[in-house]
Amino acid sequence: MTRIKQAADLIRGFLMTFRSSLLGACALMTLATSAHAQTETNTSGETEDVIVVTGALGAFGATKSSAPILETARSVSVETSYDFISRGALNLSDTLNYTSGVLGQAYGFATRGDFFTVRGLDVPEYRDNLQALFGNYNNTRPDLYTIDQVEVLKGPASVLYGQGSPGGIVNLASKVAGPDLGQEIVASYGTHDRAELAGDFSTTLIEDTLHARFVGVVRDSDTQVDYVNDDAIALAPSLTWTPGENTEINLLFNYDDRDGDAAGQFIPLTGTYYPGPNGETIEPSTYLGEPGFNTYETDSTALTVIGSHRLNDIFTLEGTARWRDSGSTYRQTWVAFAGAGVPRILPNGDSRYGRRWYDSEASSKQLAFDTRVRADFVTGAFEHEVLGGVNYQNVELDSESSYLLQGTINVFNPVYGDGLPTQAEIDAVRSYTSSETDYWGFYLHDQISWGNWIFNAGLRADEVSNETGAVSQDDDAVTYSVGLLYAFDNGFSPYVSYAESFEPVIGIDSFTNQALNPQEGEQVEIGVKYQPAGTRTYLTLAWFDITQTNLPNPVALPTAPSQQEGEASVTGFEFEGVTTFETGYGDLKLDAALTLLDTEDANGIPFSVIPDEQASLWAEFRPAALDALRIGAGVRYVGERESNGVSVVNGDIVRIVSDSYTLADLLIGYELEDWSVALNVRNLFDEAYYGSCLARGDCFPGEERTVNLRVAKRF
């Protein structure tokens, strides 16, 4: 059965399920009611007359506030659909390649997920204000066509979101129904026979009251790695009901199905970072898995309700609620690389390595809501925007997996079949794990304006319960944040802020016999934002210092009083600038970013695979003589990344440094009435590089040159 026929069958069945689910969804609507923020782009993500300079946040944006980014005493970046479509992004990681403070592809070209870091740290992924991914490979990677914009809130965000990383969060804003959105069909074809058909259809069911939208994608694609495909179906119908001028409710149903394999082959250091026998190298396209065994299949079904109801001139009730059920089947074999300290010595004197086999079935179930009351009022000379809310989330994770070591493979000339386990061998070593996380969060936040001064303060209390069967653990935390900004009349807005985070750690401290404490993070940030009045220019500079505590003990503390004496730090500088101006020949848009980081883990060494330096520049030009034409070009630089490990030979520290790389991207686009055509080339000069090489013994090739032709019809 072809992917197109599969998609047609799924759409028919899905629409029936969607229709029958509406009554059940009404119960969820009582938990959450808010207007979802709409961006200023049409259904294709492209503007009609002017180039969009920067995105805007709404009540369900990363800050949970519609206050302008210019008036927010934190670093926030927004990548609109116009931005990432123009730059040829094919997945979520791609959208962040031009964002300051973010490493978009930490492990090179990947199909299992989006592996990005913010300010040197892994961060959680949210969608419409609720966390979207849980566990390890228990979920489905989001499809970019269903997303309106990508928002990055940098630094600790526990006051708004509860448990999480001190690096921040990435929030995805979904496409939802609304008036005057139009229709669109998009067909694209590119490198490695990547064929995709997408559609975005909107209609008004009841004038000024009920709007419907259907977003769908079907893709059939090979990849740059032999035998690895990346097929997908994504369906996202939605309804927006506006029974009166004070109330709006959005209902969004998501179904995602991805069928493929893992592009990351865990290629050994020998033949990549180090030369192989007689100078041999392993090609990035080399497949070290097992055809017929390897697979990475995920599916996810979610129902989300977003709504708001204005009670009076002061109070507005808002909220989001979601039910989600996800599952994955993940089977992969990879080479048992020699490990740190033996980069040039092959395990048995030739080019054959042992093979590791992994077989897993995993699932995740989520029920969550975030309901709050917003109050806008004035007391004397002070204007207040107060946000008081309650956040609940229940997540169940289940996994059964098998792990074997048998057979060998020649990494320079792979021949498949050796060591393939039988089902009986897999079942004989199968293990089962399950966990349930249940938490409540209560928060209060106030943004106060007094003339040109803007002050904000937030406080949150969380209670988290984790049950793994073997361990039952309860944690609680109180976090707070403060910020102060002064908005000069000339467009300069200097600010300073402080924020905290916490993240539970499951287990017992063997030194104290007590439950392990949550990891804690705190950040001080000083910056300035600048937007001259009447211009399409926005500049931001930020310096920050993050401290992360309650980490595992460094090796220098063998007699510490607890197991959590470790402390890490990240100090950095970020610059981001966007401007659009008229030249004598047409409109020119420039988007620049710079990141400088100094990271130090508990042992005093830099964070693994995190560059000290990153920079990017994107330029997009619309000639006045031919304003239907768009020409864009970008350059991305990522500095050296190092990874440290302990030698398996003599116990010494092994330091692996991945070379820096510079990549160029290109856009040529043309719009004619309701048609638009765009040719994107990523990694224009086909630069060979590694996303990262790890001291443990493996490397991950980067994305090779990718060409994609996109044709869209709007009507």
Side-chain angles (χ1 to χ4, degrees):
M1 181 182 293
T2 67
R3 298 291 296 180
I4 301 296
K5 187 175 186 301
Q6 287 180 340
D9 291 342
L10 277 168
I11 290 171
R12 282 193 294 270
F14 188 80
L15 290 175
M16 294 178 64
T17 303
F18 181 63
R19 183 177 61 184
S20 63
S21 300
L22 294 180
L23 288 177
C26 292
L28 282 174
M29 291 180 184
T30 63
L31 297 176
T33 55
S34 154
H36 194 280
Q38 301 292 320
T39 64
E40 298 175 357
T41 59
N42 58 27
T43 57
S44 68
E46 300 173 357
T47 58
E48 297 297 336
D49 300 313
V50 298
I51 297 176
V52 175
V53 172
T54 185
L57 296 175
F60 292 88
T63 60
K64 298 186 180 181
S65 171
S66 57
I69 296 176
L70 190 67
E71 299 177 4
T72 303
R74 293 287 299 270
S75 286
V76 183
S77 295
V78 177
E79 300 293 341
T80 68
S81 57
Y82 178 91
D83 295 326
F84 54 72
I85 290 173
S86 295
R87 296 166 188 165
L90 300 177
N91 53 59
L92 178 58
S93 291
D94 290 347
T95 70
L96 301 170
N97 289 152
Y98 288 87
T99 306
S100 69
V102 182
L103 179 62
Q105 296 168 320
Y107 296 96
F109 177 71
T111 54
R112 290 184 300 172
D114 299 287
F115 303 104
F116 45 75
T117 63
V118 178
R119 294 187 168 175
L121 297 159
D122 294 331
V123 298
E125 181 182 312
Y126 279 71
R127 187 154 184 167
D128 305 316
N129 274 177
L130 294 175
Q131 191 169 348
L133 298 184
F134 307 92
N136 294 314
Y137 312 115
N138 298 65
N139 313 269
T140 302
R141 190 181 196 181
D143 194 280
L144 201 55
Y145 190 73
T146 65
I147 297 169
D148 220 14
Q149 67 181 25
V150 179
E151 306 157 353
V152 184
L153 174 59
K154 303 168 190 176
S158 284
V159 164
L160 291 176
Y161 292 97
Q163 60 181 359
S165 163
I169 70 159
V170 172
N171 183 61
L172 314 181
S174 298
K175 291 180 177 179
V176 296
D180 305 320
L181 293 176
Q183 330 288 330
E184 176 186 71
I185 295 178
V186 180
S188 62
Y189 183 80
T191 308
H192 307 297
D193 292 325
R194 187 183 196 275
E196 183 173 286
L197 182 64
D200 188 348
F201 309 99
S202 295
T203 188
T204 297
L205 302 177
I206 302 176
E207 189 69 27
D208 298 327
T209 301
L210 187 62
H211 306 279
R213 186 175 188 178
F214 181 85
V215 180
V217 184
V218 58
R219 179 173 64 254
D220 186 278
S221 177
D222 295 332
T223 70
Q224 68 183 55
V225 181
D226 296 341
Y227 298 99
V228 174
N229 60 315
D230 186 23
D231 303 336
I233 295 174
L235 307 174
S238 60
L239 290 173
T240 295
W241 180 40
T242 311
E245 62 179 4
N246 294 324
T247 304
E248 182 170 302
I249 297 173
N250 299 302
L251 175 65
L252 174 64
F253 210 115
N254 288 94
Y255 175 80
D256 294 276
D257 179 14
R258 298 182 76 109
D259 295 333
D261 194 352
Q265 297 296 295
F266 306 96
I267 300 175
L269 291 172
T270 303
T272 52
Y273 187 82
Y274 295 108
N278 303 315
E280 289 182 283
T281 60
I282 303 174
E283 294 296 322
S285 61
T286 300
Y287 182 69
L288 297 177
E290 181 66 33
F293 176 82
N294 278 39
T295 189
Y296 186 63
E297 300 179 357
T298 63
D299 64 83
S300 174
T301 302
L303 176 65
T304 304
V305 180
I306 309 167
S308 74
H309 176 65
R310 187 167 183 82
L311 300 172
N312 51 42
D313 290 341
I314 296 177
F315 295 105
T316 301
L317 177 65
E318 303 172 347
T320 308
R322 176 177 299 134
W323 167 86
R324 183 173 181 176
D325 190 349
S326 301
S328 70
T329 299
Y330 178 24
R331 294 194 298 271
Q332 185 176 9
T333 180
W334 61 91
V335 298
F337 38 78
V342 285
R344 294 183 175 87
I345 304 172
L346 295 169
N348 50 6
D350 59 22
S351 299
R352 301 187 68 83
Y353 282 73
R355 309 185 79 185
R356 299 186 185 274
W357 305 81
Y358 180 70
D359 182 292
S360 172
E361 296 279 349
S363 67
S364 68
K365 293 180 175 61
Q366 175 195 23
L367 179 63
F369 66 83
D370 184 1
T371 301
R372 60 233 186 202
V373 175
R374 186 182 306 275
D376 296 287
F377 58 92
V378 177
T379 56
F382 299 95
E383 298 179 9
H384 295 262
E385 183 188 88
V386 177
L387 192 68
V390 56
N391 180 200
Y392 171 77
Q393 181 160 274
N394 178 273
V395 177
E396 298 180 14
L397 302 178
D398 291 285
S399 176
E400 53 180 76
S401 59
S402 301
Y403 185 81
L404 303 92
L405 174 60
Q406 58 190 48
T408 61
I409 192 169
N410 186 322
V411 296
F412 297 100
N413 184 26
V415 176
Y416 308 108
D418 190 37
L420 178 64
T422 65
Q423 189 61 48
E425 290 174 319
I426 293 172
D427 292 340
V429 293
R430 193 171 295 279
S431 61
Y432 302 85
T433 61
S434 65
S435 66
E436 182 175 0
T437 301
D438 199 84
Y439 76 77
W440 289 89
F442 306 88
Y443 58 95
L444 183 65
H445 187 274
D446 190 7
Q447 178 149 314
I448 305 169
S449 300
W450 178 53
N452 290 31
W453 290 97
I454 300 173
F455 172 76
N456 66 73
L459 182 69
R460 177 170 175 136
D462 285 276
E463 296 181 356
V464 185
S465 173
N466 283 282
E467 176 66 57
T468 66
V471 176
S472 179
Q473 183 170 315
D474 295 322
D475 292 288
D476 58 76
V478 175
T479 53
Y480 71 93
S481 66
V482 291
L484 180 65
L485 180 146
Y486 187 84
F488 286 96
D489 295 336
N490 61 6
F492 278 99
S493 299
Y495 69 91
V496 60
S497 64
Y498 172 84
E500 297 180 333
S501 70
F502 82 100
E503 192 164 14
V505 181
I506 308 304
I508 300 297
D509 189 321
S510 61
F511 291 1
T512 66
N513 257 349
Q514 303 295 316
L516 293 170
N517 295 316
Q519 291 181 3
E520 296 178 348
E522 57 182 34
Q523 173 189 270
V524 174
E525 179 173 317
I526 301 173
V528 61
K529 303 180 181 187
Y530 179 53
Q531 189 168 40
T535 70
R536 292 183 286 171
T537 297
Y538 175 74
L539 306 174
T540 179
L541 292 168
W543 172 90
F544 61 89
D545 183 77
I546 297 174
T547 302
Q548 192 175 20
T549 55
N550 290 342
L551 300 176
N553 288 354
V555 295
L557 290 177
T559 59
S562 80
Q563 286 183 275
Q564 295 183 282
E565 301 297 320
E567 181 174 308
S569 65
V570 184
T571 303
F573 170 85
E574 295 168 354
F575 165 76
E576 204 162 75
V578 184
T579 186
T580 299
F581 57 91
E582 295 181 2
T583 70
Y585 303 97
D587 278 357
L588 178 65
K589 175 187 175 182
L590 296 176
D591 190 338
L594 173 67
T595 305
L596 302 175
L597 288 180
D598 182 11
T599 63
E600 187 175 288
D601 71 8
N603 288 299
I605 57 179
F607 287 3
S608 182
V609 309
I610 299 301
D612 291 341
E613 304 166 344
Q614 285 181 257
S616 65
L617 175 64
W618 175 262
E620 189 172 326
F621 181 64
R622 287 180 182 261
L626 191 60
D627 61 3
L629 179 66
R630 289 189 299 148
I631 301 173
V635 61
R636 305 176 263 139
Y637 169 78
V638 176
E640 293 181 343
R641 289 89 58 222
E642 71 174 80
S643 176
N644 296 274
V646 179
S647 170
V648 297
V649 175
N650 53 25
D652 291 343
I653 295 295
V654 175
R655 182 172 180 262
I656 301 296
V657 179
S658 302
D659 291 339
S660 62
Y661 59 87
T662 302
L663 307 178
D665 303 321
L666 178 68
L667 160 71
I668 301 175
Y670 193 83
E671 298 176 11
L672 180 63
E673 294 182 350
D674 294 329
W675 290 88
S676 66
V677 180
L679 178 69
N680 287 96
V681 186
R682 292 175 55 81
N683 190 2
L684 176 64
F685 301 109
D686 204 17
E687 178 75 15
Y689 69 100
Y690 290 101
S692 58
C693 287
L694 305 180
R696 70 186 186 184
D698 53 336
C699 281
F700 298 87
E703 180 186 23
E704 64 179 29
R705 178 167 53 218
T706 303
V707 182
N708 195 64
L709 179 66
R710 183 180 191 271
V711 180
K713 173 67 169 74
R714 296 185 296 275
F715 53 93

